[in-house]
Amino acid sequence: MSKVYVFDHPLIQHKLTYIRDKQTGTKEFRELVDEVSALMAYEITRELPLREVEVETPVATCKAYKLEGKKLGLVPILRAGLGMVDGILKLIPAAKVGHVGLYRDPETLEPVEYYVKLPNDVSERDFIVIDPMLATGGSAVAAIQSLKNRGAVSMKLMCLIAAPEGVQKVQEEHPDVDIYVAGVDEKLNDHGYIVPGLGDAGDRLYGTK
Ligand code: URA
C-alpha cells in the first residue's frame, strides 16, 4: 500500500489557507500556488540520494555533496497541473517536463487521454505527477497508468488537496505510488468537488468560469 504524506510545514499551511479563500483573486491565487509548489518540491526531494564530492573553495579543499541517482521528470495533468510546474522548477530547474491531457467521456464518465508527451528516457527518470486536486482519483490513476504504459517505473503523485475517495482509489490502483499533499479534506460533493477544497483549481488559476 502506498503512503500518504501530508506536508504540515507552517508556511505551506498558511499559504494554503489563502489559496482556499474565495476572496483570493486570480493573480494572488496563481502566485500562492507557485510558492506552495516550490515549498512542496523542497519537502518531496528531502530523501534524494547524495554522493560525496571534493570541492575547492577559495580557502581550502573539502568534501561536499551533490545529488546523484535518477534524473527527475515532472508530469502535470492538463490543465490545472500546469499551475504548479514553475514553482517546482524553481527548485529543480533541470527536471524535464512531460504533459498528460485527459478529458472525461460524457457517457462513460471515464478519463480519456487526448495528449501525452514525455521525455524519451522515461524508464530512467523519477517522475512527479502533478495535479492540484485529487478528487475522484480517476485522472491521477489514468495519468499514472499512461506513464507506466510508456515505461515509467518510478513515480510520486503531488497534489495540493486530496479527497479521501481519491486517495483510496490511487492506493488501490497504484499501490507503488506515494501521494504528497498539503491537505486531505472531508469528502467529495455530488458534483465531484472536494469539500471544503478550493473550488475549481483550473478556473481559479486561469480566471475562467
Ligand atoms: N477539480 C477541481 O478543480 N476542484 C475540485 O474540487 C475537484 C476537482
Side-chain angles (χ1 to χ4, degrees), residues 3 7 13 25 27-28 44 51 73-74 83 88 96 98 100 106 121-122 153 182 185-186 192 197 203 209:
K3 296 202 185 91
F7 294 134
Q13 292 305 317
K27 174 177 178 287
E28 205 187 341
I44 207 171
R51 81 185 140 93
L74 310 181
I88 301 171
K96 296 248 168 100
V100 175
D121 51 355
V122 172
V153 289
D185 280 6
E186 196 187 318
D203 283 346
K209 266 259 180 323

Side-chain angles (χ1 to χ4, degrees), residues 74-75 97-101 115-120 122 146-147 150:
L74 310 181
V75 183
V97 183
H99 295 87
V100 175
Y115 184 77
V116 181
K117 186 83 181 174
L118 301 175
N120 53 17
V122 172
S146 173
L147 265 76
R150 289 165 175 81

Side-chain angles (χ1 to χ4, degrees), residues 30-47:
R30 209 180 278 151
E31 288 167 356
L32 286 161
V33 169
D34 189 68
E35 289 167 13
V36 166
S37 304
L39 292 166
M40 289 180 74
Y42 177 77
E43 295 278 19
I44 207 171
T45 50
R46 188 175 281 281
E47 308 291 336

Side-chain angles (χ1 to χ4, degrees), residues 15-127:
K15 289 173 193 293
L16 182 63
T17 301
Y18 285 95
I19 289 172
R20 289 182 185 277
D21 191 335
K22 68 176 184 185
Q23 307 288 0
T24 300
T26 304
K27 174 177 178 287
E28 205 187 341
F29 185 91
R30 209 180 278 151
E31 288 167 356
L32 286 161
V33 169
D34 189 68
E35 289 167 13
V36 166
S37 304
L39 292 166
M40 289 180 74
Y42 177 77
E43 295 278 19
I44 207 171
T45 50
R46 188 175 281 281
E47 308 291 336
L48 287 182
L50 294 170
R51 81 185 140 93
E52 205 174 79
V53 295
E54 201 168 81
V55 64
E56 217 175 303
T57 80
V59 181
T61 299
C62 66
K63 290 203 166 104
Y65 300 94
K66 284 188 175 176
L67 290 172
E68 84 152 12
K70 286 194 188 170
K71 296 181 200 147
L72 295 176
L74 310 181
V75 183
I77 302 177
L78 302 177
R79 122 188 107 135
L82 289 176
M84 297 179 73
V85 171
D86 286 351
I88 301 171
L89 284 175
K90 279 183 195 147
L91 293 201
I92 318 171
K96 296 248 168 100
V97 183
H99 295 87
V100 175
L102 302 160
Y103 71 89
R104 190 189 282 212
D105 184 299
E107 273 163 32
T108 65
L109 301 182
E110 290 298 319
V112 181
E113 242 176 55
Y114 66 86
Y115 184 77
V116 181
K117 186 83 181 174
L118 301 175
N120 53 17
D121 51 355
V122 172
S123 62
E124 286 152 38
R125 289 191 180 262
D126 286 328
F127 283 99

Side-chain angles (χ1 to χ4, degrees), residues 126-197:
D126 286 328
F127 283 99
I128 304 175
V129 177
I130 306 158
D131 194 357
M133 307 302 276
L134 179 59
T136 62
S139 300
V141 163
I144 293 166
Q145 192 57 53
S146 173
L147 265 76
K148 286 184 177 175
N149 293 346
R150 289 165 175 81
V153 289
S154 168
M155 264 166 281
K156 294 175 165 66
L157 175 63
M158 187 199 277
C159 309
L160 283 182
I161 299 174
E165 295 89 332
V167 169
Q168 190 183 341
K169 178 145 175 128
V170 172
Q171 286 183 319
E172 278 167 13
E173 306 278 335
H174 296 293
D176 55 318
V177 178
D178 289 338
I179 304 168
Y180 297 78
V181 288
V184 179
D185 280 6
E186 196 187 318
K187 59 175 182 183
L188 289 179
N189 68 15
D190 294 343
H191 304 288
Y193 279 92
I194 299 177
V195 182

